[in-house]
Amino acid sequence: MLIVNEQTMPGKRPASRGLGRSLGLAAWPYLLMVPTVALLVAFTLYPLAQGLLMAFFRRGVVVLDQMPNTWPQYVGFQNFTGLIQDADFRTSLVKTVVFVVVAVPLNIAVSLALALLLSPQTKFFAFVRTIVFFPSMISLLIIGVAWRWLFGLNNGLVNYLLSLMHIAPVAWLEQDTMAQIAVVIAWIWAQAGFNMMIFIAGLTAISPDYYEAASIDRTTKWRQFTHITLPLLKPTMAVVLVLSSIEAFKVYELVVSLTGGGPGKATVYLIQTIYDTAFQKPMKAGVAAAQSMVLFVILLLLTVFQLRVSRGEK
């Protein structure tokens, strides 16, 4: 009679060892995500929740236990309803929307034009693309300082070039309208290189067979652009539209270093209004949080729009 020892049964330990290994392999991707999720929670979700909670209180930026007048006071939706009567907030919101409506389409047009000109895959064009892309890697504060010098009234390079063409100097930063135009020009210069690279990626994804068939039919370059390039670039254009709109709504560093919000308050946009409300007005941090929630809703709607467009194209 054959006696079988369980400890020597073939396949028992390998099976348990294989199960543990499978569980380890299944859990490994989630373990790799832990640092990213931790950073997301610490620097995005927690501040978002804290800001939303703060919007329902009357409080300042600093709360001290020994000073009861700094303690938060629950006010419900008063901070949100008060935004309707807040003239500074309404004005800055309108100015920001106008800036987005003007600057974003111009940015898309300039970026697409650069992409069409610099899309050939040669060393020369790669070098030029690097130069054009370089401004997107520079801090917006530095860009604002540089353009402030370029737009100088008496010693600015722009007015010097205009004088060579016998054009009178322009008070770029001393007049309301011209200051807003100066911000648009500097912002487009800072953003166009990054969006150009996105458009070049979209152009590269278009099959050359379409253009070969169009050339055989003797289709003009303009009709190829309007009937082939633009329709196939719709998903890419939607991405650029949303990303540019988000960056335009968040414009702040460039404006602070270029115009300082002036002349007067001509170039005070939404982010600067939120900052001034929180740090320059006493016990208004809750109001600033409510203002930031309005901006968050706007950016959320833009993101949802981009996702819906991308899903529709697929």
Side-chain angles (χ1 to χ4, degrees), residues 53-58 73-81:
L53 181 64
M54 188 186 301
F56 294 98
F57 288 85
R58 181 182 181 273
Q73 302 174 7
Y74 179 75
V75 294
F77 288 92
Q78 181 178 334
N79 290 332
F80 291 96
T81 57

Side-chain angles (χ1 to χ4, degrees), residues 240-284:
V240 174
L241 173 64
V242 173
L243 293 179
S244 299
S245 299
I246 291 174
E247 291 300 320
F249 269 108
K250 297 190 303 179
V251 63
Y252 173 66
E253 300 97 328
L254 175 66
V255 178
V256 169
S257 58
L258 177 60
T259 66
K265 293 186 177 181
T267 55
V268 174
Y269 298 110
L270 191 54
I271 294 294
Q272 186 171 350
T273 299
I274 295 173
Y275 176 86
D276 292 341
T277 302
F279 294 97
Q280 296 186 6
K281 297 180 180 179
M283 299 298 291
K284 291 294 184 180

Side-chain angles (χ1 to χ4, degrees), residues 185-207:
I185 293 173
W187 185 81
I188 291 175
W189 184 84
Q191 299 290 329
F194 178 77
N195 295 325
M196 176 199 68
M197 299 303 294
I198 298 178
F199 275 124
I200 289 178
L203 291 172
T204 305
I206 299 177
S207 174

